[in-house]
Amino acid sequence: MMQTENKKFITKLWLLLISLTLFSAFMAERSHPGLLSVLIMAGVLAFKGRIIVDYFMELKQANPVLRKLMQIYFYVIPTLIILSWLFPQQIAEWTAL
Amino acid sequence: MSEAALPPLFINSHRRNIPGSLAIWAAILAEMSEFAIMFIVYFLARAHNPVVFHEGPAKLNTTAGTMNTIVMLSSSYFVVRAVMAMRENQAKTSARWLWAAVACGATYLIIKYYEYTWNTAQGLATETNIFYAVYYYVTFNHFLHVGWGSAAMLWVIYRLNTGIYTQQEHEGLINVALYWHMIDLAWITIFPLLYVIR
């Protein structure tokens, strides 16, 4: 019974991830580049990463250090996406050789 | 939590509450660090070359990138189902789910090969500009990971078919499942960076 519920839950997550991917593709093709679309894309990436780490890799109930190590990836990369879109010149200045 | 209450995933590392073996986590974290370095290169190159990074994604084959994302997410789902089947002591069903995941891996490689051929026909190559240099470096690296990840799943299928894994002991399957999810995680990061954000 528990396994059946788990299977249904995982299947729903898979369909949600597919839907978010199709939404991202739609955004890429149809939307105008702008802060809102960048924020949405960063949010979608953070959410997808969290789902895979917590439920596909089953880290939700696992060692908190390991879970945080994996989760932090999907805080840092979306943040870098937003920062690199908002402040490209400053980043270029700070990293110029 | 008593040992009896722990899910089978944690049996071998239950004291640390870690799914799979410590060795596979060392490999996963090393690989994630490798991809992180590539993503840092992407962000630096983007900051220094905003125009080519704005124009680059529009010339890529978004359909191929989207299809590959769906294929990778589906393969991860099939791998989860393979693990669930093994927990129910259904080795044959587990192997069938893994075959589905391997088929996804092969489909990914075929789509990526088609995409590279399509790029060449459009005149897009590593020397076109720095966006495409980063694109080829990151995606070809990921392509290799999908290749050997698929080979690892074939090895697990062989072991499932020979009855080596049991309901209680199938850490090899768990390790390959975790590694494959890492490859999926890398791709879901690559997809928005190279195909979506402009």
Side-chain angles (χ1 to χ4, degrees):
Chain A
M1 189 68 183
M2 185 72 176
Q3 282 282 353
T4 306
E5 287 303 311
N6 282 346
K7 285 174 192 170
K8 280 184 184 170
F9 180 64
I10 285 291
T11 303
K12 282 179 187 168
L13 289 180
W14 171 51
L15 294 173
L16 178 62
L17 291 169
I18 299 279
S19 305
L20 287 171
T21 301
L22 293 173
F23 173 69
S24 299
F26 177 79
M27 291 280 290
E29 291 296 311
R30 298 296 165 97
S31 73
H32 294 289
L35 180 59
L36 181 62
S37 64
V38 169
L39 288 173
I40 291 170
M41 286 305 106
V44 167
L45 171 60
F47 183 75
K48 285 166 86 174
R50 185 70 174 255
I51 295 281
I52 292 171
V53 167
D54 276 357
Y55 298 104
F56 283 22
M57 297 179 115
E58 300 187 325
L59 290 182
K60 191 168 175 63
Q61 310 289 333
N63 183 297
V65 175
L66 186 60
R67 185 181 180 221
K68 286 287 171 210
L69 273 174
M70 293 300 292
Q71 281 183 345
I72 200 167
Y73 215 85
F74 294 94
Y75 292 119
V76 172
I77 302 279
T79 303
L80 287 176
I81 287 173
I82 296 165
L83 291 177
S84 71
W85 199 89
L86 283 174
F87 310 110
Q89 280 188 324
Q90 285 88 337
I91 294 171
E93 283 170 19
W94 292 340
T95 56
L97 293 174
Chain B
M1 187 184 279
S2 70
E3 187 167 333
L6 285 165
L9 193 63
F10 298 125
I11 281 174
N12 293 315
S13 305
H14 65 272
R15 284 187 184 84
R16 295 186 185 89
N17 200 16
I18 291 172
S21 70
L22 281 177
I24 198 63
W25 281 106
I28 287 170
L29 293 172
E31 298 267 26
M32 295 289 279
S33 303
E34 180 198 359
F35 277 107
I37 291 167
M38 290 184 220
F39 298 143
I40 288 168
V41 168
Y42 163 90
F43 285 116
L44 292 178
R46 183 185 176 94
H48 286 268
N49 305 274
V51 176
V52 294
F53 274 74
H54 174 69
E55 294 171 349
K59 291 176 185 168
L60 289 177
N61 192 326
T62 311
T63 306
T66 306
M67 283 172 65
N68 263 346
T69 309
I70 291 169
V71 164
M72 284 304 298
L73 290 170
S74 300
S75 68
S76 259
Y77 169 72
F78 297 151
V79 165
V80 172
R81 294 301 302 264
V83 172
M84 285 179 160
M86 198 60 225
R87 285 178 187 157
E88 294 174 328
N89 202 23
Q90 295 177 350
K92 282 187 179 173
T93 308
S94 179
R96 279 192 212 112
W97 282 113
L98 279 184
W99 272 118
V102 170
C104 284
T107 305
Y108 173 96
L109 296 175
I110 292 166
I111 292 172
K112 188 53 74 183
Y113 175 77
Y114 162 77
E115 186 184 337
Y116 285 160
T117 310
W118 187 87
N119 287 347
T120 305
Q122 312 300 312
L124 306 175
T126 50
E127 58 271 19
T128 304
N129 62 44
I130 191 167
F131 173 80
Y132 297 105
V134 171
Y135 159 85
Y136 274 106
Y137 188 76
V138 173
T139 59
F140 187 70
N141 196 298
H142 188 265
F143 180 94
L144 295 177
H145 281 76
V146 173
W148 65 60
S150 300
M153 285 197 287
L154 287 174
W155 172 245
V156 169
I157 290 170
Y158 167 75
R159 288 173 69 84
L160 274 169
N161 289 338
T162 50
I164 290 171
Y165 296 134
T166 64
Q167 187 177 17
Q168 288 74 32
E169 172 49 56
H170 49 273
E171 194 177 66
L173 167 61
I174 302 292
N175 286 341
V176 169
L178 290 166
Y179 188 80
W180 188 261
H181 293 316
M182 181 279 295
I183 297 172
D184 187 23
L185 283 175
W187 180 258
I188 65 159
T189 309
I190 292 167
F191 177 63
L193 292 184
L194 292 173
Y195 294 85
V196 179
I197 295 165
R198 290 164 192 190

